[in-house]
Amino acid sequence: MLKTIDPLLNGALLGHLADMGHGDVLAIVDRNFPAASTARRLVTLSGVDVTTAARAILTVFPVDTFVEPALLRMGPVGDEGTVLEVHADLQAAVDEAEGRAVASAPLERFEFYRRAAGAYLVVATTEARPYGCFLLVKGVV
């Protein structure tokens, strides 16, 4: 146990987050995402939705201020511009953690898969809401 560190942040996750550099990409994905076959590095957080996982991660993870958008979301197939509840919840968590409005944008499903395959780390959650998949660009401290 570590003082003031969210208990969701296990040793493997903290190590990967610490190893990431400015501009590296973090994917936080739902239970339907093919994380095991896509990820270069994978950490699984069972029993956790994407918003809860992001809130914990964002206590130690700075979001980039040089790249816009620094937050990307998987959009619904054929209607990528629609902002779903899961998207709004994650956006609110990121904005709150950063103390600013963080620019975000949708990605088409297969473009999201392509970019997630290049992410430094994939954090798989058990988020049940569809299209609960996000990419965050790491900033500087």
Side-chain angles (χ1 to χ4, degrees):
M1 268 322 228
L2 296 173
K3 188 175 176 182
T4 72
I5 300 288
D6 189 297
L8 283 179
L9 302 178
N10 60 43
L13 180 52
L14 281 170
H16 289 307
L17 293 173
D19 289 344
M20 292 177 72
H22 180 220
D24 280 340
V25 175
L26 167 68
I28 304 173
V29 299
D30 65 23
R31 69 182 181 184
N32 293 306
F33 185 81
S37 63
T38 301
R40 295 178 354 190
R41 295 168 194 85
L42 175 63
V43 172
T44 300
L45 297 178
S46 298
V48 177
D49 62 41
V50 292
T51 306
T52 302
R55 280 194 183 110
I57 290 166
L58 290 164
T59 63
V60 298
F61 184 94
V63 177
D64 204 337
T65 58
F66 299 121
V67 173
E68 285 198 5
L71 170 62
L72 297 165
R73 65 183 181 273
M74 183 189 293
V77 172
D79 192 18
E80 285 77 13
T82 295
V83 176
L84 302 174
E85 178 185 29
V86 68
H87 300 149
D89 289 350
L90 196 287
Q91 180 76 56
V94 172
D95 291 351
E96 181 181 338
E98 287 294 301
R100 63 184 172 93
V102 174
S104 66
L107 287 176
E108 180 274 331
R109 177 179 164 222
F110 291 108
E111 178 62 12
F112 184 94
Y113 285 178
R114 185 186 71 73
R115 292 196 191 190
Y120 183 91
L121 174 64
V122 175
V123 176
T125 70
T126 50
E127 174 65 63
R129 295 175 291 181
Y131 302 104
C133 298
F134 302 87
L135 301 174
L136 282 165
V137 180
K138 188 173 184 185
V140 296
V141 178

